[in-house]
Amino acid sequence: MKFRTLAVAAFLVTASSLFAETFAVDKVHSEATFQVRHMMSKVSGKFDDFTGKINVDRANLSASSVEFTMKTASINTSNADRDKDLRSANFFDADKNPEITFKSTKIVASKKKDVYDVTGDLTMHGVTKHVTLPVEFGGFGKDPWGNERAGFSLTTTINRKDYGVNWNKALDNGGVLLGDDVTININLEAVKAK
């Protein structure tokens, strides 16, 4: 009986992978941006170098998976001095922690239309946290050259101190220079592998 159960489980795993299609993130039509409070306003930035792979099971999107990586040295806030500081040990410590990664472990349809709760491991600054991200699926389509594409987007907020990014400076009139919460926006267009 145990053998039969194992055989059925193995078949289901194999069958699931047979129906999965691999899509690679198209950097030209994608973005990974963030926003954080600076004194009384907010500052935005992005990561210029990132990669991603999404295995899509169209019959059962919950059986899909995603891996996404951003290179910390590619941080870009349109200010060279600030970007240098963000790459330093004060913040991302890019030499020691060259990547921010996310690898899904579970995908569940949410109550909102076309939105999935994607749970997985987010690693940043040498710290890994198990998180759930609300990912909106934009659908499938073909571009004018016959390439099949899929779209995904998410907005979420993390506390940078949860990942050991603690640098801050007290202000003379009270408060601190930087906020702890960082809003992340990721918009991905992915192309089906041929």
Side-chain angles (χ1 to χ4, degrees), residues 1-180:
M1 193 66 156
K2 271 187 180 178
F3 176 75
R4 182 180 292 175
T5 303
L6 288 172
V8 170
F11 171 77
L12 290 174
V13 169
T14 305
S16 174
S17 64
L18 287 175
F19 296 116
E21 302 165 273
T22 300
F23 286 74
V25 169
D26 174 5
K27 283 200 291 188
V28 175
H29 298 102
S30 302
E31 63 180 4
T33 66
F34 63 89
Q35 192 176 67
V36 64
R37 182 180 58 75
H38 179 270
M39 295 186 67
M40 288 70 65
S41 185
K42 290 184 179 179
V43 171
S44 298
K46 62 180 180 173
F47 292 92
D48 289 327
D49 190 2
F50 53 86
T51 58
K53 181 176 73 170
I54 303 145
N55 292 314
V56 179
D57 183 339
R58 295 190 199 217
N60 179 15
L61 286 176
S62 294
S64 303
S65 64
V66 59
E67 292 182 23
F68 188 69
T69 300
M70 297 179 288
K71 301 289 187 180
T72 53
S74 76
I75 196 165
N76 181 353
T77 64
S78 300
N79 182 289
D81 289 338
R82 179 168 56 211
D83 293 345
K84 183 178 179 182
D85 191 29
L86 288 169
R87 293 181 191 110
S88 77
N90 285 340
F91 292 95
F92 288 106
D93 201 0
D95 287 340
K96 290 183 181 176
N97 304 290
E99 296 179 339
I100 299 169
T101 62
F102 176 79
K103 185 173 183 179
S104 69
T105 56
K106 181 173 74 170
I107 299 176
V108 178
S110 77
K111 293 179 181 177
K112 294 182 182 177
K113 186 177 184 295
D114 296 325
V115 176
Y116 292 80
D117 294 327
V118 180
T119 300
D121 295 322
L122 176 62
T123 301
M124 180 172 70
H125 200 248
V127 177
T128 299
K129 297 282 184 183
H130 207 56
V131 299
T132 299
L133 306 174
V135 176
E136 183 177 358
F137 173 56
F140 298 105
K142 281 196 176 180
D143 65 24
W145 300 275
N147 300 303
E148 192 152 18
R149 294 176 176 265
F152 308 88
S153 61
L154 77 89
T155 297
T156 192
T157 300
I158 63 169
N159 186 317
R160 63 189 179 92
K161 287 187 174 178
D162 289 344
Y163 296 86
V165 182
N166 299 316
W167 187 93
N168 220 331
K169 192 167 181 65
L171 300 174
D172 291 341
N173 59 345
V176 289
L177 186 66
L178 296 176
D180 294 337

